[in-house]
Amino acid sequence: MLRTYEGIRFFSDKQMVILDIGSAYTKFGYAGEPTPRGIIRTEIKCPDTKKLRRIYDYKDTEDLYQLLVEFLHALFFKHVVISPKDARIVILESLLVPTQFRDTLAKVLFRHFEIGSLMLLSTHLATISTLGVNSALVLDIGYKEATLIPIYEGEPILKAWQALPLGGQVVHELVKCFIFNWCFINSYFFNRYLMKSLREIYPNVDITEKLVEDIKVRTCFVTTLERSAKLGTADAPKPPPAIKYPGVKSINIPGEIREEAFEVLWERDNDNLSIPTMILNAIIQCPIDTRRTLAENILLIGGTAMAKGFASRLKSELLTLVKSSHYSEKLKIQTFMFHTAPSKPNYTAWLGGAIFGSVDLPLRCLTKENYLKSDRVPDWVSLIDNQRDESTVCET
Amino acid sequence: MSYLNQPDYVCYVCNCGSLKPISKIYFCRHCSKIRCGYCVCQEVDSHYCPNCMENLPSSEVRLKKNKCSNCFKCPCCFQTLSTRAGHVPLRVVPADGEDSKDVKTTPKKVYYLSCSLCRWTSRDAGIPDQSMATGGWPEQENPHTSRINTLIDYHKILASIEKQQSERKKFRPKHPYMQIAMFRITSAMVRKHIGHPAKPTNESTDQPSPAVASTEVEELPTDIFTKPVEITKITTLEQRLQQPDVQTENVNELRPQHRQLLVRRSQRCRVCEHNLCKPDFCSQSAKFKIQLAAFYHVPEVRIVTCEPLRPGKSSELLLKFCNPTQHQTQVVLLPLDTPMTPILTLVDEKEEVKQDNAQQGSESPNLLPSIVRQVPVVEETKPIKITANADVVLPQNCLILPRRDDAAEYDDTGDTHNFQDDPKFVIWRKGNKAVIKLHVTPHENIEENNNQPVVIGFVMQYRYVNTITTLEHKAPQKLDLKVKLYLTIGNIVGSA
Ligand SMILES: [Zn+2]
Ligand SMILES: [Zn+2]
Ligand SMILES: [Zn+2]
Ligand SMILES: [Zn+2]
C-alpha cells in the first residue's frame, strides 16, 4: 500500500518492534537484535495530575486506555523512536494477562496508533527459542507474580501451569514492613525485633517504592537453605554486615533485612505452596515420560530470578523437597538441571520475542485490516481447547 | 505569551473529545475541523542528537541503533560526558605478552572522558586514553551476539520449511494464527527435519547446538555473610539497565553509553492525511515548514474580568474575542446542545457546491479528489470530562470581527469600522478584537467551601473562509463552523 502525498512510502520495510510490557519494567527493542534498546519503568506521568502512575494500577478500562495512550506515545517517540503508524509490533504477554488488558492494549495500538500488525507471543513459549531446545520448564518470576508453563517437544502442557503472587512486589512489601515496623508478623521473624523501626530512627526519610527497590537490588540477597532454617531460632547465625546507606540523611540497613527480605518467596503459604513447589507440582501434573526431561531443562526468567543466590537456593529447596514424604512417593526425580539463556533473565522473554520477530511469520500476525473487521484479538488459551470457531482467523 | 503556562481557563473541545487550550490545538484547513495532539497521526520527522545537534537521516539512524556516535553519557549520572585532554608519557605495552616492562617515550597528548557533574572519568573505570579527540572508544558488543544470530537463522529456516510445506501440500496448520500452533508446527518440523535421512548435509547448519542445562548454578559468594559492603561501589538498578546485556553490579565496570537521539515529530490529520505541523529539517531551527495551529484560524476567546460569583445570582462576565484570520468573521454564541454540524453558507460563485445532509454524519467534506488514501481508522471519541455548572445568557446578536491587520495594530487614530453594535453587548472594540459582556448565574447547589470552580459552556459559531479550495480552482468557501468552549470563570465567593 502506498500513499502518494509527499512522496511514496512503503510501510513494509519497517523493522519489527518487540515490546515486553512487564508490570514493573518494559523491555523494548527491535527484532533480530541481541539486546533490548532499553528497559524502562512501566509508568507514565498522568497529564492531568502530573503524578507518576503505574500502567498496571489502572482503575477501569477507560483509565487503562488513557494510560496506555500516554505510555505508548512516550515509548514510541522517546524510547523506541519509530512512527507507530503501520509499524509491525510483537508483544510478549503473560499467561495471566487479563482479557481486559490485552483487548485494551490491542485497541490502543490499532485504533489510536494505527499500527500495521500485531503478533502476540506467550512469554513462556517465546522464551524457549533462546535455547534452541524444544522442551523446557519455564518459570517466570517477575514483579507481581511467578508463573510457570512446562513445554514439551514444542508444545505447552497447559494443564500443568502454575501461578503464585510471588515476585518483586512481595519482597518490597517485606522490606517496607521491616522499615516501618521492624517486627514483621511472619513465622520466621515474629518477636525477633523489638528494637525501634527504621521509621522511628529516621522519621524524615521518605520511604518511596523507588528507595525500597534500590535497597532490595543493592543490598539484599537470597540466603542459603541451611541458614534460613536457623533464622529465628536460638542458634540463629550471625547476620551479615549492616550497610550504611547514603541519602540526604544516611540510613543503616541491618544485616537481617539484607538476608531475610527474600525469605517470603520460599515460605509455604496456606496451601503449602511456594516457588519450589510450583516446579514440583507442575512436573507431577505432566505425563510420566516427560517429567525427567522437564526437571533437567529448567529455565528461570524474570527480574526477581536475578536476585543473588536465587538459583542456588531454588536448587537446594528442590533437592530437599523431593526427599520429603509429600513428594518422594509421587516423584522419582533426583536431578534438576538449569539452563542459562544468552541473556540476562530480566530480558530473556524479550529476546525470545526478538528471535521470533525476525522470522517471517505472516500467519501469526493480526493485521490492521483483520483487527478492524473483527474488532477483537483471538484468545490463545481458549483456542487450545478448540472452543472458538475459526471465523476470525487472520489469514493473509 | 506567558499565559501559555497558566492553567487552562478557556478550553476548546476538539472533535475527539479532548479539552485543550487554543495554543494546543490544530485546525485542519482541508477538513475545516479542529484537531489536537491526541487525534492527529504523529510521525517521526527527523532525528537529532540533543547534545551536538547533528541531524541524521533515518537510514543512518537505523544503522547506528538510534545513537549519536560522537556523544557519550555518564554511566553514573547520565549527563553528557566531555572529552578532556591530558599529557601522559606514552606507554608501549610489549606485544606478545613477554616482559611487561613499560617503555617510556616522550609525552603525548591523550584524551579521556569526564563527567563534570559526578566527576566520573574514563580513567577511573580503567578505559585506556585515546589519541584522537573524536573517539575510537572501545565499543562493547553483546558477547552472545553470534549465538543469537545462529538461533535467528535456525528459526528462519524453520519458518521457510513450514512455508514450503504449506504451499506444496496445501498444508495448513490447525490454528495458523496462534503462537501455540506455531510452536507445535515448529517442533514438528524440527523432528521431521532432523529425522530426515534424505538431507543429512543440511542438518549441521540448520540446527544450532541446543543449549545444555547444568546441575551447577551460580552460588552465593561465601564471603557475603562476613564481608563489609560499601554501598557506593554497588551500581543502582537504573545504572545497570543502561547496559542491559551486562547489568554489572560493580561501579568500576560501568561503561559510557552513546547518547540516544531525539526526534522531531510531525503531525498529520488522520482523516485527510495532510500535514498539520511539520518542523524544519534543521534541528537548530524552531521554525515550521507547515504549521496549522488553531491560533491562526479560530477566533480566540479570553476572559477579561468576572464579577464575584454567588450561587443563583447573576454576575457580569467580560470576554475578549480576537479574529486571527485575514477575513472578516462573524461570531454567534449558541447553547451547548446545538448540533455541531458545519453549515456551508456561501460559495462565491454560481457553481454551488451544496453540502448535503448525508455528509454531515461523516467526518469532513472531502476536499481532496483523486488521492489514494487509506481508510481512516476510527477511534472512539473521548467523553467530555467537564460539565458546566452555571447558566449563561447568550446574546441573539452576532459579533462581527474585522480581519487581522498588522499595520492597524500600531495605528492609534481609531477605528474606521462602523458596526451597528449593541452597546449592552459589545462594550469595547479595536481592530480585530472586541470585548463582550455576558451574564452568568452559577447553579444554586455550588457551595463556597468545596472549591468547585464555576464553569460555563457554549458553542461558538464562526464564519471561516476556506482558501484551500482556491488551489483547486474553486472559489473560496465560506463556512459557518462551530466549536464547543468551556470556560472556568472563577470560584464562588460567599453564599447566596
Ligand atoms: Zn483531538
Ligand atoms: Zn551528538
Ligand atoms: Zn556523571
Ligand atoms: Zn484533515
Side-chain angles (χ1 to χ4, degrees), chain A residues 78-147:
Chain A
K78 266 169 73 183
H79 301 285
V80 181
V81 192
I82 191 172
S83 296
K85 186 166 184 181
D86 298 326
R88 297 184 300 145
I89 294 183
V90 174
I91 301 258
L92 276 305
E93 62 169 16
S94 152
L95 167 78
L96 294 179
V97 66
T99 318
Q100 182 192 27
F101 189 88
R102 66 175 351 232
D103 286 353
T104 310
L105 179 60
K107 195 169 167 188
V108 170
L109 287 170
F110 281 115
R111 297 227 173 247
H112 188 87
F113 292 104
E114 302 180 74
I115 63 159
S117 75
L118 174 67
M119 179 155 85
L120 292 167
L121 279 179
S122 152
T123 300
H124 297 79
L125 287 160
T127 298
I128 65 160
S129 67
T130 63
L131 299 178
V133 298
N134 55 16
S135 300
L137 190 146
V138 184
L139 174 55
D140 177 7
I141 313 113
Y143 178 71
K144 282 202 160 147
E145 66 223 352
T147 52

Side-chain angles (χ1 to χ4, degrees), chain B residues 32-329:
Chain B
S32 300
K33 291 246 179 183
I34 282 176
R35 307 274 180 230
C36 71
Y38 185 85
C39 59
V40 294
C41 173
Q42 312 232 7
E43 287 168 340
V44 172
D45 195 74
S46 58
H47 300 257
Y48 69 98
C49 170
N51 187 52
C52 66
M53 296 309 268
E54 197 194 337
N55 264 309
L56 280 104
S58 52
S59 53
E60 213 174 310
V61 168
R62 201 165 152 172
L63 215 68
K64 291 183 173 165
K65 300 200 170 176
N66 192 41
K67 285 177 180 141
C68 179
S69 37
N70 306 321
C71 307
F72 291 89
K73 63 180 174 185
C74 173
C76 288
C77 69
F78 319 131
Q79 292 297 309
T80 303
L81 292 172
S82 41
T83 307
R84 295 278 170 84
H87 291 278
V88 287
L90 184 74
R91 282 156 197 273
V92 180
V93 183
D96 289 341
E98 276 178 34
D99 196 19
S100 58
K101 220 176 205 176
D102 291 341
V103 185
K104 281 190 182 172
T105 59
T106 46
K108 201 193 165 204
K109 204 168 191 185
V110 287
Y111 299 92
Y112 62 97
L113 295 170
S114 151
C115 174
S116 52
L117 200 76
C118 75
R119 306 277 162 202
W120 179 92
T121 68
S122 56
R123 288 175 166 179
D124 298 343
I127 302 168
D129 290 345
Q130 296 298 313
S131 54
M132 281 186 307
T134 45
W137 298 102
E139 302 283 333
Q140 313 103 36
E141 216 198 326
N142 187 324
H144 304 293
T145 304
S146 70
R147 166 76 179 162
I148 292 166
N149 286 337
T150 317
L151 288 166
I152 288 172
D153 292 341
Y154 170 57
H155 284 83
K156 277 184 180 159
I157 290 165
L158 288 179
S160 69
I161 293 170
E162 185 198 312
K163 212 172 170 184
Q164 277 172 21
Q165 296 255 355
S166 69
E167 277 163 13
R168 209 183 300 143
K169 297 183 184 172
K170 301 251 175 268
F171 166 87
R172 291 240 120 198
K174 229 175 177 179
H175 308 291
Y177 46 100
M178 286 331 289
Q179 55 271 53
I180 294 296
M182 165 172 65
F183 278 89
R184 187 182 296 157
I185 292 307
T186 303
S187 66
M189 293 308 136
V190 178
R191 287 199 303 276
K192 220 172 202 171
H193 195 64
I194 295 164
H196 225 286
K199 285 195 257 175
T201 43
N202 288 349
E203 231 177 76
S204 54
T205 49
D206 289 356
Q207 174 101 26
S209 57
V212 182
S214 159
T215 51
E216 298 298 311
V217 290
E218 204 188 324
E219 298 293 335
L220 204 58
T222 41
D223 62 355
I224 198 161
F225 301 106
T226 48
K227 197 176 136 197
V229 184
E230 213 202 308
I231 192 86
T232 49
K233 293 274 188 292
I234 305 171
T235 55
T236 65
L237 187 54
E238 212 180 354
Q239 289 166 344
R240 292 177 202 189
L241 295 180
Q242 293 298 312
Q243 211 185 337
D245 51 338
V246 179
Q247 298 188 45
T248 178
E249 210 186 294
N250 186 346
V251 166
N252 288 335
E253 283 167 28
L254 288 173
R255 290 291 171 266
Q257 300 295 310
H258 286 282
R259 186 153 277 306
Q260 218 202 329
L261 302 176
L262 296 183
V263 294
R264 300 188 139 214
R265 283 173 287 138
S266 62
Q267 278 82 11
R268 196 182 283 278
C269 175
R270 279 174 65 163
V271 178
C272 67
E273 298 202 352
H274 283 89
N275 265 122
L276 296 176
C277 180
K278 198 167 170 56
D280 221 40
F281 182 70
C282 177
S283 57
Q284 279 98 336
S285 159
K287 281 186 201 150
F288 294 93
K289 275 196 272 188
I290 304 169
Q291 168 68 290
L292 292 173
F295 205 71
Y296 302 119
H297 299 276
V298 181
E300 187 199 354
V301 178
R302 283 200 221 182
I303 298 170
V304 182
T305 52
C306 185
E307 283 185 339
L309 296 155
R310 291 184 177 81
K313 292 278 161 63
S314 168
S315 302
E316 268 182 17
L317 168 69
L318 301 187
L319 297 179
K320 190 188 214 177
F321 285 72
C322 173
N323 172 18
T325 67
Q326 292 297 327
H327 304 272
Q328 176 174 300
T329 186

Side-chain angles (χ1 to χ4, degrees), chain A residues 197-216:
Chain A
S197 73
L198 280 190
R199 187 49 180 256
E200 280 173 81
I201 307 167
Y202 311 107
N204 298 324
V205 176
D206 188 18
I207 312 287
T208 57
E209 171 80 13
K210 217 178 159 189
L211 176 64
V212 169
E213 181 186 61
D214 200 75
I215 292 171
K216 179 194 75 173

Side-chain angles (χ1 to χ4, degrees), chain A residues 1 54 112 120 125-126 142 153 158 177 212 226 284 327 349 357 361 366 375 383 389 392:
Chain A
M1 189 164 307
R54 281 178 182 270
H112 188 87
L120 292 167
L125 287 160
E153 305 266 301
L158 268 181
C177 255
V212 169
E226 206 187 345
I284 287 174
Y327 290 105
L361 297 164
L366 176 59
D375 224 353
L383 278 161
D389 67 310
T392 54

Side-chain angles (χ1 to χ4, degrees), chain A residues 185-203:
Chain A
I185 10 95
N186 180 292
S187 57
Y188 280 125
F189 326 108
F190 192 52
N191 273 347
R192 281 192 64 220
Y193 305 110
L194 297 167
M195 351 169 193
K196 281 180 175 174
S197 73
L198 280 190
R199 187 49 180 256
E200 280 173 81
I201 307 167
Y202 311 107

